[in-house]
PDB file of all heavy atoms in Angstrom:
ATOM      1  N   TYR A   1       0.824  -1.205   0.000  1.00 98.00           N
ATOM      2  CA  TYR A   1       0.000   0.000  -0.001  1.00 98.00           C
ATOM      3  C   TYR A   1       0.863   1.261   0.000  1.00 98.00           C
ATOM      4  O   TYR A   1       1.939   1.295   0.593  1.00 98.00           O
ATOM      5  CB  TYR A   1      -0.886   0.060   1.253  1.00 98.00           C
ATOM      6  CG  TYR A   1      -1.951  -0.998   1.336  1.00 98.00           C
ATOM      7  CD1 TYR A   1      -1.717  -2.194   2.003  1.00 98.00           C
ATOM      8  CD2 TYR A   1      -3.204  -0.797   0.750  1.00 98.00           C
ATOM      9  CE1 TYR A   1      -2.698  -3.167   2.082  1.00 98.00           C
ATOM     10  CE2 TYR A   1      -4.185  -1.756   0.832  1.00 98.00           C
ATOM     11  CZ  TYR A   1      -3.931  -2.942   1.499  1.00 98.00           C
ATOM     12  OH  TYR A   1      -4.910  -3.897   1.580  1.00 98.00           O
ATOM     13  N   ALA A   2       0.335   2.311  -0.617  1.00 98.00           N
ATOM     14  CA  ALA A   2       0.934   3.623  -0.453  1.00 98.00           C
ATOM     15  C   ALA A   2       0.757   4.054   0.999  1.00 98.00           C
ATOM     16  O   ALA A   2      -0.271   3.729   1.627  1.00 98.00           O
ATOM     17  CB  ALA A   2       0.257   4.624  -1.383  1.00 98.00           C
ATOM     18  N   ASP A   3       1.741   4.752   1.538  1.00 98.00           N
ATOM     19  CA  ASP A   3       1.662   5.161   2.940  1.00 98.00           C
ATOM     20  C   ASP A   3       0.396   5.971   3.224  1.00 98.00           C
ATOM     21  O   ASP A   3      -0.185   5.876   4.310  1.00 98.00           O
ATOM     22  CB  ASP A   3       2.893   5.987   3.307  1.00 98.00           C
ATOM     23  CG  ASP A   3       4.146   5.146   3.420  1.00 98.00           C
ATOM     24  OD1 ASP A   3       4.029   3.900   3.541  1.00 98.00           O
ATOM     25  OD2 ASP A   3       5.247   5.713   3.371  1.00 98.00           O
ATOM     26  N   SER A   4      -0.030   6.752   2.257  1.00 97.00           N
ATOM     27  CA  SER A   4      -1.156   7.657   2.461  1.00 97.00           C
ATOM     28  C   SER A   4      -2.494   6.937   2.631  1.00 97.00           C
ATOM     29  O   SER A   4      -3.455   7.539   3.107  1.00 97.00           O
ATOM     30  CB  SER A   4      -1.258   8.634   1.294  1.00 97.00           C
ATOM     31  OG  SER A   4      -1.456   7.946   0.076  1.00 97.00           O
ATOM     32  N   VAL A   5      -2.561   5.663   2.251  1.00 98.00           N
ATOM     33  CA  VAL A   5      -3.836   4.943   2.337  1.00 98.00           C
ATOM     34  C   VAL A   5      -3.801   3.798   3.341  1.00 98.00           C
ATOM     35  O   VAL A   5      -4.833   3.149   3.577  1.00 98.00           O
ATOM     36  CB  VAL A   5      -4.277   4.412   0.959  1.00 98.00           C
ATOM     37  CG1 VAL A   5      -4.296   5.537  -0.068  1.00 98.00           C
ATOM     38  CG2 VAL A   5      -3.424   3.262   0.490  1.00 98.00           C
ATOM     39  N   LYS A   6      -2.654   3.525   3.923  1.00 98.00           N
ATOM     40  CA  LYS A   6      -2.550   2.416   4.872  1.00 98.00           C
ATOM     41  C   LYS A   6      -3.528   2.626   6.034  1.00 98.00           C
ATOM     42  O   LYS A   6      -3.633   3.711   6.597  1.00 98.00           O
ATOM     43  CB  LYS A   6      -1.119   2.328   5.406  1.00 98.00           C
ATOM     44  CG  LYS A   6      -0.131   1.728   4.419  1.00 98.00           C
ATOM     45  CD  LYS A   6       1.273   1.654   5.021  1.00 98.00           C
ATOM     46  CE  LYS A   6       2.244   1.059   4.029  1.00 98.00           C
ATOM     47  NZ  LYS A   6       3.631   1.051   4.544  1.00 98.00           N
ATOM     48  N   GLY A   7      -4.212   1.549   6.370  1.00 97.00           N
ATOM     49  CA  GLY A   7      -5.177   1.606   7.462  1.00 97.00           C
ATOM     50  C   GLY A   7      -6.554   2.080   7.037  1.00 97.00           C
ATOM     51  O   GLY A   7      -7.511   1.974   7.811  1.00 97.00           O
ATOM     52  N   ARG A   8      -6.683   2.606   5.826  1.00 98.00           N
ATOM     53  CA  ARG A   8      -7.978   3.085   5.336  1.00 98.00           C
ATOM     54  C   ARG A   8      -8.478   2.285   4.138  1.00 98.00           C
ATOM     55  O   ARG A   8      -9.692   2.087   3.991  1.00 98.00           O
ATOM     56  CB  ARG A   8      -7.872   4.571   4.945  1.00 98.00           C
ATOM     57  CG  ARG A   8      -7.465   5.484   6.080  1.00 98.00           C
ATOM     58  CD  ARG A   8      -7.565   6.958   5.670  1.00 98.00           C
ATOM     59  NE  ARG A   8      -6.658   7.285   4.577  1.00 98.00           N
ATOM     60  CZ  ARG A   8      -7.044   7.779   3.407  1.00 98.00           C
ATOM     61  NH1 ARG A   8      -8.327   7.998   3.158  1.00 98.00           N
ATOM     62  NH2 ARG A   8      -6.147   8.085   2.475  1.00 98.00           N
ATOM     63  N   PHE A   9      -7.563   1.882   3.275  1.00 98.00           N
ATOM     64  CA  PHE A   9      -7.926   1.150   2.061  1.00 98.00           C
ATOM     65  C   PHE A   9      -7.537  -0.321   2.202  1.00 98.00           C
ATOM     66  O   PHE A   9      -6.518  -0.637   2.838  1.00 98.00           O
ATOM     67  CB  PHE A   9      -7.198   1.725   0.846  1.00 98.00           C
ATOM     68  CG  PHE A   9      -7.648   3.089   0.404  1.00 98.00           C
ATOM     69  CD1 PHE A   9      -8.458   3.895   1.207  1.00 98.00           C
ATOM     70  CD2 PHE A   9      -7.256   3.591  -0.820  1.00 98.00           C
ATOM     71  CE1 PHE A   9      -8.855   5.148   0.803  1.00 98.00           C
ATOM     72  CE2 PHE A   9      -7.643   4.842  -1.251  1.00 98.00           C
ATOM     73  CZ  PHE A   9      -8.439   5.627  -0.429  1.00 98.00           C
ATOM     74  N   THR A  10      -8.318  -1.178   1.559  1.00 98.00           N
ATOM     75  CA  THR A  10      -8.020  -2.606   1.549  1.00 98.00           C
ATOM     76  C   THR A  10      -8.151  -3.126   0.130  1.00 98.00           C
ATOM     77  O   THR A  10      -9.209  -2.962  -0.500  1.00 98.00           O
ATOM     78  CB  THR A  10      -8.963  -3.390   2.463  1.00 98.00           C
ATOM     79  OG1 THR A  10      -8.866  -2.881   3.802  1.00 98.00           O
ATOM     80  CG2 THR A  10      -8.601  -4.868   2.448  1.00 98.00           C
ATOM     81  N   VAL A  11      -7.073  -3.739  -0.358  1.00 98.00           N
ATOM     82  CA  VAL A  11      -7.115  -4.366  -1.678  1.00 98.00           C
ATOM     83  C   VAL A  11      -7.308  -5.865  -1.494  1.00 98.00           C
ATOM     84  O   VAL A  11      -6.753  -6.469  -0.565  1.00 98.00           O
ATOM     85  CB  VAL A  11      -5.812  -4.067  -2.472  1.00 98.00           C
ATOM     86  CG1 VAL A  11      -4.582  -4.622  -1.781  1.00 98.00           C
ATOM     87  CG2 VAL A  11      -5.929  -4.587  -3.904  1.00 98.00           C
ATOM     88  N   SER A  12      -8.128  -6.455  -2.354  1.00 98.00           N
ATOM     89  CA  SER A  12      -8.372  -7.893  -2.296  1.00 98.00           C
ATOM     90  C   SER A  12      -8.610  -8.394  -3.710  1.00 98.00           C
ATOM     91  O   SER A  12      -8.789  -7.596  -4.642  1.00 98.00           O
ATOM     92  CB  SER A  12      -9.571  -8.210  -1.396  1.00 98.00           C
ATOM     93  OG  SER A  12     -10.750  -7.591  -1.895  1.00 98.00           O
ATOM     94  N   ARG A  13      -8.617  -9.710  -3.868  1.00 97.00           N
ATOM     95  CA  ARG A  13      -8.833 -10.274  -5.202  1.00 97.00           C
ATOM     96  C   ARG A  13      -9.564 -11.575  -5.086  1.00 97.00           C
ATOM     97  O   ARG A  13      -9.466 -12.282  -4.057  1.00 97.00           O
ATOM     98  CB  ARG A  13      -7.508 -10.449  -5.943  1.00 97.00           C
ATOM     99  CG  ARG A  13      -6.532 -11.402  -5.283  1.00 97.00           C
ATOM    100  CD  ARG A  13      -5.163 -11.371  -5.986  1.00 97.00           C
ATOM    101  NE  ARG A  13      -5.212 -12.029  -7.299  1.00 97.00           N
ATOM    102  CZ  ARG A  13      -4.215 -11.979  -8.179  1.00 97.00           C
ATOM    103  NH1 ARG A  13      -3.113 -11.286  -7.910  1.00 97.00           N
ATOM    104  NH2 ARG A  13      -4.315 -12.609  -9.337  1.00 97.00           N
ATOM    105  N   ASP A  14     -10.267 -11.925  -6.149  1.00 97.00           N
ATOM    106  CA  ASP A  14     -10.929 -13.206  -6.292  1.00 97.00           C
ATOM    107  C   ASP A  14     -10.319 -13.861  -7.514  1.00 97.00           C
ATOM    108  O   ASP A  14     -10.615 -13.483  -8.650  1.00 97.00           O
ATOM    109  CB  ASP A  14     -12.437 -13.001  -6.463  1.00 97.00           C
ATOM    110  CG  ASP A  14     -13.201 -14.312  -6.508  1.00 97.00           C
ATOM    111  OD1 ASP A  14     -12.629 -15.330  -6.941  1.00 97.00           O
ATOM    112  OD2 ASP A  14     -14.391 -14.309  -6.136  1.00 97.00           O
ATOM    113  N   ASN A  15      -9.431 -14.797  -7.283  1.00 95.00           N
ATOM    114  CA  ASN A  15      -8.705 -15.408  -8.402  1.00 95.00           C
ATOM    115  C   ASN A  15      -9.627 -16.195  -9.328  1.00 95.00           C
ATOM    116  O   ASN A  15      -9.386 -16.285 -10.526  1.00 95.00           O
ATOM    117  CB  ASN A  15      -7.595 -16.302  -7.872  1.00 95.00           C
ATOM    118  CG  ASN A  15      -6.485 -15.499  -7.207  1.00 95.00           C
ATOM    119  OD1 ASN A  15      -6.208 -14.363  -7.578  1.00 95.00           O
ATOM    120  ND2 ASN A  15      -5.846 -16.095  -6.210  1.00 95.00           N
ATOM    121  N   ALA A  16     -10.672 -16.772  -8.783  1.00 95.00           N
ATOM    122  CA  ALA A  16     -11.608 -17.532  -9.610  1.00 95.00           C
ATOM    123  C   ALA A  16     -12.358 -16.629 -10.586  1.00 95.00           C
ATOM    124  O   ALA A  16     -12.743 -17.049 -11.670  1.00 95.00           O
ATOM    125  CB  ALA A  16     -12.596 -18.283  -8.725  1.00 95.00           C
ATOM    126  N   LYS A  17     -12.542 -15.375 -10.193  1.00 96.00           N
ATOM    127  CA  LYS A  17     -13.275 -14.431 -11.025  1.00 96.00           C
ATOM    128  C   LYS A  17     -12.348 -13.454 -11.741  1.00 96.00           C
ATOM    129  O   LYS A  17     -12.812 -12.577 -12.467  1.00 96.00           O
ATOM    130  CB  LYS A  17     -14.264 -13.635 -10.175  1.00 96.00           C
ATOM    131  CG  LYS A  17     -15.363 -14.479  -9.553  1.00 96.00           C
ATOM    132  CD  LYS A  17     -16.320 -13.605  -8.757  1.00 96.00           C
ATOM    133  CE  LYS A  17     -17.451 -14.439  -8.161  1.00 96.00           C
ATOM    134  NZ  LYS A  17     -18.386 -13.604  -7.366  1.00 96.00           N
ATOM    135  N   ASN A  18     -11.034 -13.588 -11.525  1.00 96.00           N
ATOM    136  CA  ASN A  18     -10.056 -12.658 -12.114  1.00 96.00           C
ATOM    137  C   ASN A  18     -10.438 -11.206 -11.820  1.00 96.00           C
ATOM    138  O   ASN A  18     -10.414 -10.345 -12.705  1.00 96.00           O
ATOM    139  CB  ASN A  18      -9.939 -12.877 -13.624  1.00 96.00           C
ATOM    140  CG  ASN A  18      -9.287 -14.205 -13.951  1.00 96.00           C
ATOM    141  OD1 ASN A  18      -8.344 -14.631 -13.286  1.00 96.00           O
ATOM    142  ND2 ASN A  18      -9.794 -14.871 -14.980  1.00 96.00           N
ATOM    143  N   THR A  19     -10.804 -10.973 -10.590  1.00 97.00           N
ATOM    144  CA  THR A  19     -11.295  -9.644 -10.197  1.00 97.00           C
ATOM    145  C   THR A  19     -10.503  -9.128  -9.001  1.00 97.00           C
ATOM    146  O   THR A  19     -10.197  -9.882  -8.078  1.00 97.00           O
ATOM    147  CB  THR A  19     -12.791  -9.708  -9.849  1.00 97.00           C
ATOM    148  OG1 THR A  19     -13.522 -10.147 -11.010  1.00 97.00           O
ATOM    149  CG2 THR A  19     -13.313  -8.342  -9.432  1.00 97.00           C
ATOM    150  N   VAL A  20     -10.220  -7.838  -9.045  1.00 98.00           N
ATOM    151  CA  VAL A  20      -9.544  -7.170  -7.928  1.00 98.00           C
ATOM    152  C   VAL A  20     -10.459  -6.078  -7.412  1.00 98.00           C
ATOM    153  O   VAL A  20     -11.205  -5.454  -8.177  1.00 98.00           O
ATOM    154  CB  VAL A  20      -8.173  -6.597  -8.356  1.00 98.00           C
ATOM    155  CG1 VAL A  20      -8.300  -5.542  -9.457  1.00 98.00           C
ATOM    156  CG2 VAL A  20      -7.398  -6.054  -7.167  1.00 98.00           C
ATOM    157  N   TYR A  21     -10.414  -5.882  -6.103  1.00 98.00           N
ATOM    158  CA  TYR A  21     -11.278  -4.916  -5.437  1.00 98.00           C
ATOM    159  C   TYR A  21     -10.440  -3.914  -4.643  1.00 98.00           C
ATOM    160  O   TYR A  21      -9.327  -4.212  -4.217  1.00 98.00           O
ATOM    161  CB  TYR A  21     -12.231  -5.623  -4.470  1.00 98.00           C
ATOM    162  CG  TYR A  21     -13.036  -6.727  -5.096  1.00 98.00           C
ATOM    163  CD1 TYR A  21     -12.599  -8.058  -5.023  1.00 98.00           C
ATOM    164  CD2 TYR A  21     -14.229  -6.469  -5.751  1.00 98.00           C
ATOM    165  CE1 TYR A  21     -13.332  -9.078  -5.593  1.00 98.00           C
ATOM    166  CE2 TYR A  21     -14.976  -7.482  -6.321  1.00 98.00           C
ATOM    167  CZ  TYR A  21     -14.526  -8.794  -6.242  1.00 98.00           C
ATOM    168  OH  TYR A  21     -15.256  -9.805  -6.813  1.00 98.00           O
ATOM    169  N   LEU A  22     -11.010  -2.739  -4.447  1.00 98.00           N
ATOM    170  CA  LEU A  22     -10.396  -1.752  -3.570  1.00 98.00           C
ATOM    171  C   LEU A  22     -11.487  -1.190  -2.681  1.00 98.00           C
ATOM    172  O   LEU A  22     -12.382  -0.487  -3.165  1.00 98.00           O
ATOM    173  CB  LEU A  22      -9.719  -0.636  -4.348  1.00 98.00           C
ATOM    174  CG  LEU A  22      -8.940   0.372  -3.500  1.00 98.00           C
ATOM    175  CD1 LEU A  22      -7.724  -0.310  -2.853  1.00 98.00           C
ATOM    176  CD2 LEU A  22      -8.492   1.570  -4.341  1.00 98.00           C
ATOM    177  N   GLU A  23     -11.429  -1.524  -1.415  1.00 98.00           N
ATOM    178  CA  GLU A  23     -12.358  -1.001  -0.434  1.00 98.00           C
ATOM    179  C   GLU A  23     -11.724   0.248   0.173  1.00 98.00           C
ATOM    180  O   GLU A  23     -10.629   0.195   0.738  1.00 98.00           O
ATOM    181  CB  GLU A  23     -12.619  -2.038   0.652  1.00 98.00           C
ATOM    182  CG  GLU A  23     -13.723  -1.687   1.614  1.00 98.00           C
ATOM    183  CD  GLU A  23     -15.119  -1.856   0.997  1.00 98.00           C
ATOM    184  OE1 GLU A  23     -15.300  -2.783   0.198  1.00 98.00           O
ATOM    185  OE2 GLU A  23     -15.991  -1.026   1.307  1.00 98.00           O
ATOM    186  N   MET A  24     -12.415   1.379   0.051  1.00 98.00           N
ATOM    187  CA  MET A  24     -11.861   2.654   0.507  1.00 98.00           C
ATOM    188  C   MET A  24     -12.744   3.203   1.617  1.00 98.00           C
ATOM    189  O   MET A  24     -13.926   3.486   1.399  1.00 98.00           O
ATOM    190  CB  MET A  24     -11.803   3.643  -0.661  1.00 98.00           C
ATOM    191  CG  MET A  24     -10.981   3.152  -1.829  1.00 98.00           C
ATOM    192  SD  MET A  24     -10.846   4.342  -3.181  1.00 98.00           S
ATOM    193  CE  MET A  24     -12.510   4.251  -3.842  1.00 98.00           C
ATOM    194  N   ASN A  25     -12.174   3.343   2.797  1.00 98.00           N
ATOM    195  CA  ASN A  25     -12.873   3.884   3.950  1.00 98.00           C
ATOM    196  C   ASN A  25     -12.174   5.142   4.444  1.00 98.00           C
ATOM    197  O   ASN A  25     -10.997   5.358   4.142  1.00 98.00           O
ATOM    198  CB  ASN A  25     -12.921   2.842   5.064  1.00 98.00           C
ATOM    199  CG  ASN A  25     -13.666   1.585   4.671  1.00 98.00           C
ATOM    200  OD1 ASN A  25     -14.774   1.644   4.136  1.00 98.00           O
ATOM    201  ND2 ASN A  25     -13.066   0.434   4.923  1.00 98.00           N
TER     202      ASN A  25
END
């Protein structure tokens, strides 16, 4: 993660769906 988003953003992926997500709080 970039330092500016640590603790607020979460990246995840679903390999079966070839999809990546970014949860931004």
Side-chain angles (χ1 to χ4, degrees):
Y1 293 93
D3 287 343
S4 60
V5 307
K6 284 180 180 177
R8 300 188 297 122
F9 290 13
T10 302
V11 62
S12 61
R13 62 188 288 171
D14 184 332
N15 292 329
K17 295 181 179 179
N18 291 321
T19 300
V20 62
Y21 306 95
L22 185 67
E23 189 75 35
M24 302 183 288
N25 299 312

